[in-house]
Each structure stands twice: as C-alpha cells, then as structure tokens.
Amino acid sequence: MYVPSALCCPSRASILTGKYPHNHHVVNNTLEGNCSSKSWQKIQEPNTFPAILRSMCGYQTFFAGKYLNEYGAPDAGGLEHVPLGWSYWYALEKNSKYYNYTLSINGKARKHGENYSVDYLTDVLANVSLDFLDYKSNFEPFFMMIATPAPHSPWTAAPQYQKAFQNVFAPRNKNFNIHGTNKHWLIRQAKTPMTNSSIQFLDNAFRKRWQTLLSVDDLVEKLVKRLEFTGELNNTYIFYTSDNGYHTGQFSLPIDKRQLYEFDIKVPLLVRGPGIKPNQTSKMLVANIDLGPTILDIAGYDLNKTQMDGMSLLPILRGASNLTWRSDVLVEYQGEGRNVTDPTCPSLSPGVSQCFPDCVCEDAYNNTYACVRTMSALWNLQYCEFDDQEVFVEVYNLTADPDQITNIAKTIDPELLGKMNYRLMMLQSCSGPTCRTPGVFDPGYRFDPRLMFSNRGSVRTRRFSKHLL
C-alpha cells in the first residue's frame, strides 16, 4: 500500500479522513503544519471515518495508542480534548514513547513510569484493548483502532526481546550505500560511502525495530485469540498496516523517512475477514486514503455522502473480477528545515533538518515535492517534481529499475513527460471524485496539450501550497 506522504502526522490524517494532504491540510508534524491543531479539530475531525461510524452507523468506537504527533498540546485543547467519534479514548500524549508517557483516558491524564510489568506501552495497549472486547456492548457493532508507536524510535524493546535478531542486518539492496546520482540535491549531499559508525548505527536501529515488533506480534495474537474465544473472529475484519516506510542506508541516507522513493512511501497491508480467501496477494494500486472508504463500505455507509478522495477496497478483498481500478496515486510532501544552523553540524547552512548521524541531512525547506505513482499493464512508473530553483524532476521505470537508481527524466519520451506533468497538476488540485479520474495509461484518459501552456506560451508547472492553516 502507498502512503500519500511519508511522514507520521500527514499520513495518519490521510488514514482518518480518506483525503490527500492537500485536502486535509496536515503538511508536517507541527501544530503550525496543522497536526492536531484547532483548525484540524474543527474542520477535519467531524468528518473522519470513525466519526461517521459512530454518528451515522451506530458503531462503538475504540482508540488506543499514538493519535497525531501534537495531540495533547496545551495550545490545542490539551489531553482533555477527545476527538469527535470516539466512544472510548486511550491516546498517547504527543509522539512515540515506550515508558514515562502520559495517556488521555477519555479526556483525563494518566501518567506511566518505567516498570515493564505495568508501563510498557505496547502491552498496556494490548490490555486496554482486551478489556474493551470483554466489556463492550454486544448489541452494537464495534470498530477498534490500535496504534502502537512500535517500531518508531526510541526502539525500546521489551526485556525478553532485547537480544533477539542478533544476526539480522538492514537489507543490502542494490541502492544501499551508493551515491544518489542524478537525484535531488538533498540526496546527493549524503556522504558515500557511509562511515562504519553510520552503518553500525543503522543496522542496530533495524534490529531494534524488529525487536519492538515482537511485542506487537503478541498484541495481535492476543486480540485474535480473544475474538476467536468470543465467537466474533469470523465476523470481524482486521487490517494491519503502518503510516510510512523507512530507509536504512539506501542512497547513503542512514535512517529516516520523508523521501519519495519506494522504501519510504510503500507499507505493508494485510487484511483478513468475511469473504476474504486466505493466502491471496493483490497487485492493485492501493493507498491509505482507501482505508476509511473501505471500512465505511463494510459498515454499509453510502460513500457518495463523503468527501473522501480514496476508494473502497472491498471489491478487491472479496476477489471481484473485471474490476475497473485506478492506475495512479498522488504522493506529496512539504519539506522542513531549521531557521538556524545546527550546532552539532556548524558547516551546514540553515534550512536543513534531521542531520544525523555524521551530519547527513534527511530534510530541507526545499525538499518539497509531488509525484504521480503509476502502475498499469504497460508501465510501472514514478514521476516527481520538486518545488525548488531547479524545478528538479525525477522519473523512474520500476519495471527495469526497481531500486530507483537511474533517473530517466532526461531520456524518457518528451510527450509522455508532458502527460505526466499535466496529470500531476490535475491530481494536486483534485478533490473527492476528481481524484479518481482515469490516469495517463487508462483507456478513458484524455490529454489536451494546449492545457500545458499559459497565454504566453510557456509550459505550465504545477503549484505547491505555500500557506499553512
């Protein structure tokens, strides 16, 4: 599954709203970037799919875990704020932790310490989820969203798992520890080859992330067994996914997300439930904006009444044949940089951020881009434009180059390049049904080259949003 923005808060907002970032206006992990801001609470929260499940479909709704990165901020209602649509609310204050955190329990703060048996967050989330299954009403359908911080940093594994995977290392793909030739300057600035200390750091991070997921495995197993025990498993859909990918050494970038490549924008999606045959794999192009419409469709809600950009996956899950499906999705990101020089990296200018380890920066103000990710019978293509002085373009043929090593922007057919540029502009301004119009390689696609030019005859380039809510 693809995420429309490879960063926690914008991606989570897309899951909740079924919208691309340019429609829910969450552009980064800050209040200024609309992450759990007063504006988000007023405009978007009433229209999330859990709010619709609760108000229109009669569902009991339960949330446990990390909500949005700025949730609980004093300037946005604090922990007393419980978003519309949730019957039971167990939300983590701000960003990921495993110990020494505060939860909002239906609007009341509860602090936790560092005693594994009572405070380890993944286990706490498992326990409150099991309690909900035990005490919920049997006369209403239910929806649960359990959002473990794992495997997010600080990668604190449970004591019994801290020595697991000692012989596991980050994948050594073809794009591991190589220079990002013909890529955006932020990728080109990475130091190649990486230092031994950087490689040890990213291998250790990869290993610790896996260790934290062993407790998530325990949580999933407990929930499935409880549903089986209560006789509800065969009437329950379970979705397992993440909010963004992660890189560990690709193109010599040590660790982070935020980039346009497959390793950051692609995440797993596993689903089981009524009508789904086991051991199936679908190659259809799906995005996390589809999760909300899918769950509402399962609940019997008329999706035409929503403003969501995504599509219901229910026909795919049930194995429908001769299904007309999309051939492209939008990926968009607004870069972040520091206004001051990083004191740990005095040689770097302001405007960059996430410069660790070895002062290799993972983000910058002009790391702002948008992409069309296309998959059709003939093409497996990614077209991206940056909002910088170069108006830098990256294009990848993933059939021939799955590791996205070779940027073919200067060698691809100019006519195809023009079509992709126009399609990108269309998707960046889409809303609801217009986000689901035929892509460049679909039979119903229509392209008018005249639309590529302004009155002065110059090629149009798409516009990036400069204003935050």
Side-chain angles (χ1 to χ4, degrees), residues 53-324:
L53 282 177
R54 183 65 183 147
S55 64
M56 305 303 294
C57 305
Y59 271 65
Q60 304 166 80
T61 53
F62 169 93
F63 182 88
K66 175 181 171 179
Y67 178 56
L68 300 174
N69 296 54
E70 284 294 330
Y71 173 73
D75 292 344
L79 294 174
E80 295 79 20
H81 172 70
V82 176
L84 282 174
W86 296 103
S87 321
Y88 302 90
W89 181 252
Y90 296 82
L92 177 67
E93 180 183 32
K94 296 200 174 179
N95 204 1
S96 302
K97 291 184 177 181
Y98 296 78
Y99 295 107
N100 297 310
Y101 55 86
T102 301
L103 292 177
S104 170
I105 312 295
N106 297 317
K108 295 184 178 180
R110 185 172 79 189
K111 293 183 180 293
H112 279 262
E114 51 190 21
N115 181 339
Y116 168 71
S117 63
V118 295
D119 296 318
Y120 188 67
L121 182 56
T122 308
D123 293 351
V124 169
L125 299 179
N127 291 335
V128 297
S129 300
L130 292 171
D131 286 345
F132 170 75
L133 289 177
D134 285 342
Y135 299 114
K136 66 178 176 58
S137 167
N138 290 324
F139 301 102
E140 293 177 314
F142 69 91
F143 168 76
M144 305 174 73
M145 180 180 280
I146 306 165
T148 65
H152 198 287
S153 61
W155 315 308
T156 309
Q160 67 270 31
Y161 297 136
Q162 289 179 0
K163 294 185 178 180
F165 307 122
Q166 291 303 303
N167 296 319
V168 167
F169 302 91
R172 268 42 174 185
N173 310 77
K174 289 183 179 179
N175 54 17
F176 180 83
N177 200 18
I178 67 170
H179 187 251
T181 308
N182 294 323
K183 289 177 166 49
H184 189 240
W185 74 266
L186 186 66
I187 309 302
R188 300 196 304 265
Q189 58 87 37
K191 299 172 183 176
T192 307
M194 292 182 289
T195 63
N196 288 336
S197 61
S198 281
I199 293 175
Q200 289 174 2
F201 179 81
L202 68 87
D203 277 335
N204 191 46
F206 187 86
R207 191 176 302 117
K208 286 184 172 182
R209 284 161 59 81
W210 274 28
Q211 291 169 356
T212 67
L213 285 174
L214 289 173
S215 293
V216 179
D217 287 350
D218 292 340
L219 179 154
V220 172
E221 182 181 20
K222 290 173 184 174
L223 287 172
V224 170
K225 285 185 173 179
R226 185 62 56 89
L227 288 167
E228 191 172 30
F229 177 77
T230 58
E232 295 176 300
L233 182 60
N234 291 335
N235 195 34
T236 302
Y237 286 89
I238 301 175
F239 294 75
Y240 183 97
T241 190
S242 184
D243 55 358
N244 52 252
Y246 206 69
H247 56 258
T248 47
Q250 288 85 1
F251 302 124
S252 299
L253 298 170
I255 59 161
D256 200 37
K257 49 247 184 174
R258 307 168 203 268
Q259 309 308 333
L260 58 86
Y261 308 102
E262 294 282 283
F263 44 72
D264 283 2
I265 64 173
K266 198 173 182 181
V267 296
L269 173 63
L270 297 92
V271 190
R272 66 158 291 164
I276 302 177
K277 294 178 182 178
N279 301 317
Q280 292 186 99
T281 300
S282 172
K283 301 289 187 182
M284 293 293 198
L285 183 59
V286 302
N288 73 5
I289 56 171
D290 300 331
L291 294 175
T294 303
I295 292 167
L296 290 176
D297 195 11
I298 289 170
Y301 189 73
D302 182 359
L303 298 180
N304 292 322
K305 294 180 180 179
T306 75
Q307 299 174 329
M308 294 182 175
D309 303 331
M311 305 167 67
S312 171
L313 304 178
L314 201 52
I316 295 177
L317 298 178
R318 291 178 172 170
S321 57
N322 300 318
L323 182 65
T324 301

Side-chain angles (χ1 to χ4, degrees), residues 313-385:
L313 304 178
L314 201 52
I316 295 177
L317 298 178
R318 291 178 172 170
S321 57
N322 300 318
L323 182 65
T324 301
W325 195 252
R326 68 156 75 88
S327 65
D328 58 20
V329 293
L330 174 70
V331 178
E332 50 191 350
Y333 178 70
Q334 184 165 306
E336 293 182 83
R338 294 165 57 95
N339 291 321
V340 295
T341 300
D342 187 335
T344 61
C345 303
S347 63
L348 299 175
S349 301
V352 294
S353 64
Q354 312 297 318
C355 301
F356 63 89
D358 293 329
C359 295
V360 174
C361 300
E362 302 276 1
D363 207 2
Y365 278 128
N366 68 355
N367 185 39
T368 295
Y369 59 80
C371 306
V372 182
R373 182 68 179 92
T374 296
M375 294 176 70
S376 71
L378 296 176
W379 285 95
N380 186 2
L381 195 70
Q382 185 172 10
Y383 172 90
C384 302
E385 290 181 15

Side-chain angles (χ1 to χ4, degrees), residues 405-451:
I405 293 170
T406 305
N407 179 9
I408 60 172
K410 294 182 179 178
T411 58
I412 197 170
D413 179 1
E415 182 181 351
L416 177 56
L417 207 63
K419 288 181 178 180
M420 297 302 292
N421 171 267
Y422 178 64
R423 180 63 177 163
L424 182 58
M425 288 190 293
M426 296 296 289
L427 285 175
Q428 270 266 272
S429 59
C430 76
S431 179
T434 59
C435 297
R436 305 187 287 272
T437 54
V440 168
F441 302 107
D442 289 330
Y445 179 74
R446 296 291 179 267
F447 172 63
D448 184 349
R450 293 172 297 181
L451 297 173

